[in-house]
Amino acid sequence: MRTLIVVALVVVLAACQPAAAPDDANRTAGAPGVAVDAPAAAATPAYRVEPWSLPSPANAAQPDLVAAADGSLLLSWINPDADGHALRFSRFVDGQWSAAQTIARGDDWFVNWADTPHLATTADGALWAHWLQQSADAPYAYDVVLVRSDDDGASWSEPLRVNDDGTPTEHGFVSLWPASSDSLGIAWLDGRETAAASGHGGHDAHAGHGGGSMTLRAARFDAGLLRSGESMLDAATCDCCQTDVAMTARGPLVVYRDRTEEEVRDIVVTRFDGNRWSDPAPVHVDHWTMPACPVNGPAVDARDDIVLVGWYTAANDTPTLKIARSLDVGDHFATPVEVDAGAAVQGRVDVAIGADAAWVLWIREDDAGQTLQLARYTPDLSHQLQRIELAHLQGRGRGTGFPQLALADGTVRVAWTDVVDGEPRLQGAVLRNSERSE
């Protein structure tokens, strides 16, 4: 896994290692944990944590967990395959995993802890998937490749390069959404404008705007993988932070980390109304001035008009995890709620909105190791109802990647990467309402 961060970022992250740690003496490393103390709130049933067996092999990493419209869940992952890698997936339905299927394999992929493949579904039953394929010898010259399956993954279309600019630059950090019953929307960070920047080619350069900036682009692909509506959503974004998307009552809302001439890297949103993308607008003005890419993007979920965004910031030299809610499909956001703060906060956040709660998932790391944290809030975010330490991880640093959170049929499920004896391994947990019968 290759991600090179400039010295300025290394210094910031090195300062983010604290001594204090939650009490985990009675928890098993890498296993689901138990609830820890949370602020008092109105009496609500607690959720209990149970292990969730995953179908991935011992050397799998880069998970993607997606809730399909039919209530099933799709889990994809990458694992080594001969001299290359394979992208595989399985469907979880009626309490069982389907046999794992291979989407694609290759020996020229760009495989990275932070820039990972994703799955999506459309109403016609099609599956869509993407991965990253190297385009030149430069370390960060790679393209976004897209495929579609009409037979539930038994076969896949010929791969199509989403970006067709032909420059040996970075293209990735993708978000996928259903654009219609049989077409897919896709947004990605696109480095074509950085091609003229001396020394640029990926995460290590962070070229100034005068040499060309990372851009955010979007396009639509129909059932025959024909493209339409390609447009630039933002002419200058953070180089290597994840994007995310949620379907609102008024179209897809893309959330990402912006970048200004002054190196302010706050979180912004843009929404497609069927005709045009809205001007990017901040979720909140943190004014985090950062001279390098933190590789720590936002997460978003939506339920009709309600939007929930979670993100990491280190404004004022304080690592902080925040969430904010919008009641008007992302046009305006309320004052953020601080979920966690302090040197142990690593971010790598995911969020979800349920019928009666909002959920946020993130990683902490201190001298005692990494822990996976999950918090449940009232829908209006006014009270934290429960905070759970899901697992104490054996892995440290970047190798544990980005955990995944999904809601399906009222059940909360989480998948994440741990590193056990030097080898990545996917783990899972399910949370159930303690008052609900099996």
Side-chain angles (χ1 to χ4, degrees):
M1 302 179 187
R2 299 168 292 177
T3 300
L4 182 60
I5 307 300
V6 294
V7 173
L9 179 58
V10 173
V11 172
V12 170
L13 294 181
C16 294
Q17 304 302 318
D23 178 12
D24 49 36
N26 296 319
R27 297 180 176 87
T28 302
V34 297
V36 298
D37 291 340
T44 59
Y47 278 68
R48 66 182 187 275
V49 185
E50 300 173 2
W52 184 33
S53 179
L54 303 182
S56 51
N59 56 2
Q62 293 88 32
D64 189 45
L65 185 63
V66 179
D70 62 2
S72 65
L73 290 170
L74 297 170
L75 176 71
S76 68
W77 63 88
I78 290 180
N79 58 264
D81 182 76
D83 294 328
H85 294 86
L87 175 60
R88 311 194 77 199
F89 86 101
S90 178
R91 186 187 293 270
F92 186 78
V93 59
D94 296 330
Q96 300 291 327
W97 288 105
S98 67
Q101 296 172 270
T102 299
I103 298 171
R105 52 170 48 94
D107 59 5
D108 59 350
W109 290 8
F110 181 81
V111 178
N112 180 268
W113 70 285
D115 197 352
T116 60
H118 297 299
L119 284 176
T121 63
T122 44
D124 63 349
L127 297 176
W128 305 73
H130 95 274
W131 64 90
L132 306 176
Q133 188 168 332
Q134 292 179 325
S135 60
D137 291 336
Y140 293 99
Y142 58 91
D143 297 329
V144 177
V145 176
L146 181 69
V147 291
R148 172 187 164 108
S149 173
D150 291 316
D151 53 13
D152 203 29
S155 63
W156 295 83
S157 66
E158 287 296 316
L160 173 77
R161 290 182 188 266
V162 171
N163 58 286
D164 57 0
D165 53 286
T167 63
T169 57
E170 181 180 5
H171 307 81
F173 297 101
V174 169
S175 290
L176 308 174
W177 66 91
S180 71
S181 62
D182 64 352
S183 66
L184 185 81
I186 178 169
W188 71 97
L189 296 188
D190 191 297
R192 68 185 68 182
E193 302 297 331
T194 70
S198 175
H200 191 81
H203 307 161
D204 54 335
H206 304 280
H209 295 297
S213 298
M214 185 66 71
T215 63
L216 177 66
R217 294 177 180 264
R220 176 172 170 165
F221 290 87
D222 67 14
L225 292 184
L226 296 177
R227 99 178 48 230
S228 63
E230 182 168 340
S231 58
M232 183 190 296
L233 310 190
D234 197 317
T237 71
C238 201
D239 296 67
C240 44
C241 283
Q242 295 76 13
T243 68
D244 200 6
V245 65
M247 291 300 298
T248 74
R250 287 192 279 141
L253 182 81
V254 174
V255 57
Y256 60 99
R257 191 178 294 280
D258 200 19
R259 180 185 179 191
T260 72
E261 292 280 357
E262 296 75 29
E263 297 292 7
V264 175
R265 300 181 186 245
D266 287 345
I267 305 303
V268 300
V269 296
T270 177
R271 192 181 68 250
F272 187 66
D273 64 7
N275 295 303
R276 62 176 296 274
W277 288 92
S278 63
D279 293 336
V283 176
H284 182 257
V285 180
D286 297 321
H287 206 78
W288 183 23
T289 303
M290 175 64 173
C293 181
V295 198
N296 214 326
V300 64
D301 195 18
R303 190 180 181 91
D304 300 323
D305 291 339
I306 302 173
V307 175
L308 176 67
V309 176
W311 72 97
Y312 170 90
T313 180
N316 302 314
D317 297 323
T318 303
T320 306
L321 183 71
K322 297 181 179 181
I323 53 175
R325 188 177 74 143
S326 169
L327 298 179
D328 53 11
V329 296
D331 286 344
H332 306 88
F333 283 87
T335 301
V337 172
E338 185 178 292
V339 177
D340 199 2
V345 177
Q346 300 297 297
R348 307 193 212 168
V349 62
D350 204 358
V351 297
I353 302 176
D356 57 1
W359 298 83
V360 56
L361 176 73
W362 74 103
I363 288 178
R364 292 173 58 91
E365 181 170 346
D366 54 31
D367 289 346
Q370 280 190 359
T371 56
L372 187 61
Q373 306 284 325
L374 181 67
R376 179 169 60 102
Y377 282 81
T378 55
D380 63 0
L381 307 186
S382 62
H383 293 91
Q384 185 184 109
L385 301 173
Q386 189 177 10
R387 177 164 165 177
I388 301 167
E389 185 176 293
L390 286 180
H392 191 130
L393 308 184
Q394 293 187 35
R396 286 179 175 267
R398 302 171 191 163
T400 54
F402 286 74
Q404 302 285 297
L405 171 65
L407 304 184
D409 295 333
T411 302
V412 182
R413 296 183 186 269
V414 180
W416 68 93
T417 306
D418 201 352
V419 180
V420 180
D421 297 327
E423 185 176 63
R425 182 174 302 171
L426 297 192
Q427 307 280 8
V430 56
L431 288 93
R432 303 184 191 278
N433 188 321
S434 60
E435 290 186 356
R436 183 176 299 170
S437 59
E438 295 294 336

